[in-house]
């Protein structure tokens, strides 16, 4: 037995990936253990997973479990594009800013990026890069990728996604969605998963389990089979084909068969809401000098702006979180399925103390 090397009472606001595995997911891994099952996805758990996803997204969807979100994005996008294709995304998209160049270097995909105020593309913003079809000198814009919820904690409405999907399809392109936090989006919108994905015109998505309590379990979900080709082969050549896939699938089943996915995401969102509401109330009362916000809080992340030095002093005091744009004093506070109300209340008190000290 390995010794426990960390203090399990310590939590922070650095990332939803800092959290551990939800106990029900761990139990599902244990339940899938023992005996032999066919490797590489021919097991009974992966078979069941297709049914579970069909319940959420409708008949005819195809699910490809993978290890991580970068692999899901790169592999999914590759399956949507010919060799000469390009992907339009927000400049803040994870595929552009946080995947080490994997879409370009591993996927061989040109990214055409557009700055946005809030991480969300619109038809107008897409049009800045949606041009040049038929010109052999330009990488051909054939896919648009959006992230739901976005890297900036904002959420697209159904109408916004539908407007993007219509715009994209009218121009002969396809719509990809990075859903590393898709469950948080469903919780935020109060809608079933298919309402703002398949039914709104999304062709293929990456479904995130890891940030919502899984242990390296994500999935590529093909919503429109005509929009994707060769995933069976691409997953393997991109090193995302799990031999013991039953354990990846069992985790996604644990999340999605009942409502664990929604409970956990709703809780994470509610904790971010609690943090934002407490700080908004403090600002309204004139009690939090110098604090501002750079984004709406619509999921499990709060994006704040702090006076000089305050972020570092909070971290010295033991609170964990990252700068988002240090030059602007912008920080990101993420909540997880295991963030507690006490964590939030202690953090609010800490922020108040440091803001007063700095004022
Ligand atoms: C928007 C988004 N997409 C995808 C990912 C998945 O990344 P990873 O490859 O680390 O699982 C993340 C994780 O931070 C993310 O925030």
């Amino acid at each position: 037995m390995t010794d426990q090397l960390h203090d399990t009472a310590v939590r922070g606001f650095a990332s939803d990936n800092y959290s551990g595995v939800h106990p029900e997911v761990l139990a599902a891994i244990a339940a899938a253990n023992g005996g032999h099952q066919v490797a590489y996805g021919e097991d009974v758990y992966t078979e069941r997973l297709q049914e579970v996803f069909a319940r959420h997204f409708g008949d005819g969807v195809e699910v490809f479990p993978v290890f991580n979100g970068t692999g899901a994005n790169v592999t999914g996008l590759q399956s949507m594009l010919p060799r000469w294709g390009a992907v339009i995304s927000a400049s803040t998209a994870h595929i552009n800013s946080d995947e080490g160049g994997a879409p370009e270097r591993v996927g061989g995909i040109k990214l055409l990026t557009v700055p946005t105020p809030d991480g969300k593309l619109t038809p107008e913003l897409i049009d800045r890069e949606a041009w040049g079809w038929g010109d052999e000198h330009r990488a051909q814009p054939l896919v648009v990728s959006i992230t739901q919820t976005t890297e900036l904690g904002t959420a697209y409405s159904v109408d916004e996604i539908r407007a993007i999907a219509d715009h994209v399809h009218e121009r002969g392109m396809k719509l990809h969605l990075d859903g590393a936090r898709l469950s948080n989006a469903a919780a935020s919108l109060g809608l079933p998963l298919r309402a703002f994905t398949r039914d709104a015109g999304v062709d293929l998505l990456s479904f995130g389990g890891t940030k919502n309590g899984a242990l390296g379990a994500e999935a590529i979900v093909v919503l429109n089979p005509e929009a994707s080709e060769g995933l069976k082969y691409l997953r393997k050549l991109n090193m995302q084909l799990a031999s013991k896939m039953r354990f990846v699938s069992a985790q996604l089943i644990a999340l999605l068969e009942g409502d664990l996915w929604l409970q956990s995401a709703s809780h994470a969102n509610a904790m971010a809401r609690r943090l934002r509401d407490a700080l908004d109330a403090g600002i309204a009362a004139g009690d939090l000098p110098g604090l501002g916000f750079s984004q709406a809080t619509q999921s499990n992340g709060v994006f704040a702006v702090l006076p000089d030095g305050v972020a570092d002093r909070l971290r010295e005091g033991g609170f964990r979180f990252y700068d988002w744009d240090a030059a602007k004093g912008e920080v990101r506070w993420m909540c997880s399925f295991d963030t507690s109300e006490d964590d939030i209340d202690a953090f609010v008190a800490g922020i108040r103390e440091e803001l007063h000290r700095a004022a």
Side-chain angles (χ1 to χ4, degrees):
M1 193 79 167
T2 311
D3 291 338
Q4 195 143 55
L5 299 178
H6 75 292
D7 180 348
T8 55
V10 172
R11 287 184 293 272
F13 300 93
S15 166
D16 28 9
N17 280 332
Y18 272 40
S19 61
V21 183
H22 192 286
E24 286 182 41
V25 176
L26 263 188
I29 296 172
N33 203 14
H36 285 202
Q37 274 289 298
V38 185
Y40 299 110
E42 298 293 317
D43 61 273
V44 291
Y45 295 91
T46 306
E47 190 183 347
R48 169 75 68 85
L49 188 66
Q50 306 292 326
E51 289 163 29
V52 170
F53 268 86
R55 254 185 266 151
H56 286 284
F57 292 96
D59 287 342
V61 300
E62 288 176 76
V63 189
F64 295 80
V66 293
F67 295 114
N68 60 42
T70 300
N73 285 337
V74 172
T75 308
L77 286 170
Q78 262 189 329
S79 81
M80 300 175 82
L81 286 166
R83 187 85 179 95
W84 53 89
V87 174
I88 300 173
S89 77
S91 54
T92 45
H94 199 263
I95 54 172
N96 181 49
S97 58
D98 264 312
E99 297 189 354
E104 293 95 336
R105 301 166 76 173
V106 177
I109 296 165
K110 169 82 175 164
L111 296 182
L112 302 168
T113 63
V114 187
T116 72
D118 53 6
K120 287 159 66 171
L121 287 175
T122 61
E124 294 70 34
L125 289 171
I126 288 167
D127 281 349
R128 294 207 190 155
E129 290 293 347
W131 51 270
W133 296 288
D135 174 0
E136 76 234 55
H137 299 285
R138 183 153 212 264
Q140 297 291 287
L142 297 177
V143 168
V144 170
S145 180
I146 58 174
T147 309
Q148 173 78 322
T149 56
T150 72
E151 291 78 0
L152 300 181
T154 53
Y156 289 91
S157 68
V158 185
D159 288 348
E160 286 170 332
I161 294 181
R162 192 172 290 122
I164 288 174
D166 289 348
H167 193 77
V168 162
H169 292 149
E170 278 159 20
R171 282 152 187 77
M173 300 188 287
K174 302 170 187 171
L175 184 58
H176 170 267
L177 187 149
D178 177 349
R181 299 189 181 88
L182 201 71
S183 302
N184 300 88
S188 171
L189 298 172
L191 289 172
L193 289 164
R194 70 174 285 170
F196 60 98
T197 56
R198 191 181 196 182
D199 293 351
V202 175
D203 292 302
L204 181 147
L205 61 84
S206 301
F207 181 86
T210 311
K211 291 176 196 299
N212 205 21
L215 194 174
E218 314 269 312
I220 302 164
V221 187
V222 182
L223 303 173
N224 170 14
E226 284 172 20
S228 162
E229 203 186 354
L231 263 179
K232 176 178 161 137
Y233 309 104
L234 289 168
R235 179 174 54 175
K236 176 69 181 189
L237 77 81
N238 281 332
M239 297 163 279
Q240 288 286 326
L241 181 66
S243 53
K244 297 196 177 179
M245 199 183 294
R246 64 169 138 157
F247 300 104
V248 181
S249 299
Q251 295 178 60
L252 294 169
I253 293 172
L255 285 177
L256 286 163
E257 197 157 49
D259 64 357
L260 184 58
W261 66 282
L262 188 57
Q263 270 178 34
S264 294
S266 301
H267 177 80
N269 288 4
M271 291 301 99
R273 190 73 257 159
R274 183 180 180 92
L275 176 59
R276 178 72 187 252
D277 285 350
L279 296 174
D280 275 341
I283 291 172
D287 190 28
L288 297 173
L291 178 66
F293 296 100
S294 54
Q295 296 294 338
T297 301
Q298 294 172 336
S299 59
N300 62 323
V302 177
F303 286 72
V305 181
L306 294 169
D308 266 1
V310 171
D312 285 337
R313 278 195 299 279
L314 279 165
R315 285 188 282 250
E316 282 157 23
F319 295 108
R320 297 175 183 195
F321 59 88
Y322 286 113
D323 291 329
W324 187 255
D325 184 341
K328 293 185 186 150
E330 188 183 22
V331 294
R332 183 187 80 157
W333 297 327
M334 296 304 292
C335 298
S336 313
F337 69 87
D338 64 349
T339 304
S340 72
E341 293 187 351
D342 287 350
D343 293 341
I344 300 294
D345 299 347
F347 192 34
V348 170
I351 293 167
R352 179 176 290 117
E353 195 180 315
E354 286 306 338
L355 287 171
H356 279 284
R357 189 170 302 172

